[in-house]
Amino acid sequence: PAHELLDEHLLNDVGWRTRLREQLREGGLPPTYTTHPVVLAAGDALVLPVALFIDGVPYSQTDSVLGFWLVNLVNGKRYLYATLRKNRVCRCGCRGWCTLYHVFAVSAWQLRALASGVYPNSRHDNAPWRPEDSTRRGFAGDALPMVCACLYIKGDWVEYSSTLGLPALRDSPRPYYCYPADKAGMFVAAGNAVEALRWPANEESDGG
């Protein structure tokens, strides 16, 4: 799990706090950091900014794997925590979501642990620890060396539309998930400016 990998790495990286303070002092972090609920709840304590990265990686001429990484935004280091062979995902008509659900559950489990700064007290599905989880049972409730805030999910448009279920470019009514643009007018430049596009940004409550 990514929180275990990050814990192991930061214990051997004595300079991460200094680099984070430098980024904060120089304004090197986006507004999503300073307004993040985890950062606000931490008060004056340091919070490490992280992100999720999703991408397809071909390993043959006919197939690829979908990789999931946690990214340390202070030094750019990535921690691979899950892979899925695309030809092995569920084909019941769910677009692979029956399989992806379990990766999303693990992702949320890790991020909750990082946001609280404490090792999980149960498995990713809230089930009790199994006999083979004896090491993790021993860590349960222990403090992690840092609290982390996940600022964003990084990926290309294919992953946003297929893996994360957001609209695709070929979607006619609403091909762009950030703005209410239709397919016909999406690439019309008139009305746009360097400072802003002509469409209002979608709110979280807006339909996709």
Side-chain angles (χ1 to χ4, degrees):
H3 57 276
E4 296 178 11
L5 296 172
L6 188 61
D7 182 0
E8 181 181 354
H9 179 255
L10 291 183
L11 287 175
N12 297 307
D13 180 10
V14 295
W16 73 269
R17 289 181 175 84
T18 300
R19 291 193 294 273
L20 177 54
R21 289 190 180 97
E22 289 174 352
Q23 287 189 354
L24 291 171
R25 187 168 56 251
E26 296 168 2
L29 293 173
T32 49
Y33 178 84
T34 54
T35 60
H36 198 287
V38 173
V39 176
L40 295 175
D44 295 331
L46 281 177
V47 176
L48 183 71
V50 298
L52 296 184
F53 175 55
I54 306 172
D55 197 13
V57 183
Y59 67 88
S60 73
Q61 293 183 345
T62 58
D63 198 16
S64 62
V65 296
L66 187 61
F68 295 79
W69 290 263
L70 182 81
V71 185
N72 180 340
L73 295 179
V74 171
N75 59 17
K77 185 173 178 60
R78 298 179 182 179
Y79 303 91
L80 178 67
Y81 66 87
T83 59
L84 284 176
R85 287 181 62 182
K86 289 191 175 181
N87 67 358
R88 300 298 299 272
V89 299
C90 179
R91 301 186 185 279
C92 73
C94 66
R95 297 178 58 192
W97 280 72
C98 290
T99 305
L100 287 166
Y101 171 83
H102 299 283
V103 181
F104 295 152
V106 169
S107 302
W109 175 68
Q110 295 173 149
L111 293 177
R112 283 194 297 268
L114 291 168
S116 66
V118 177
Y119 270 98
N121 286 306
S122 63
R123 293 173 59 86
H124 69 280
D125 56 0
N126 293 321
W129 300 114
R130 297 176 180 175
E132 61 267 28
D133 297 324
S134 57
T135 300
R136 294 193 175 100
R137 184 188 297 111
F139 288 152
D142 287 355
L144 289 160
M146 69 287 142
V147 170
C148 297
C150 183
L151 303 191
Y152 56 81
I153 300 175
K154 181 180 180 181
D156 58 26
W157 207 309
V158 173
E159 303 311 333
Y160 285 143
S161 62
S162 60
T163 304
L164 299 178
L166 294 171
L169 276 173
R170 61 181 178 272
D171 185 80
S172 294
R174 207 167 200 178
Y176 192 29
Y177 55 88
C178 287
Y179 300 96
D182 58 25
K183 189 173 182 178
M186 184 173 179
F187 298 104
V188 176
N192 296 324
V194 174
E195 296 80 12
L197 299 176
R198 65 180 182 274
W199 308 285
N202 287 336
E203 300 291 338
E204 290 187 12
S205 58
D206 290 339

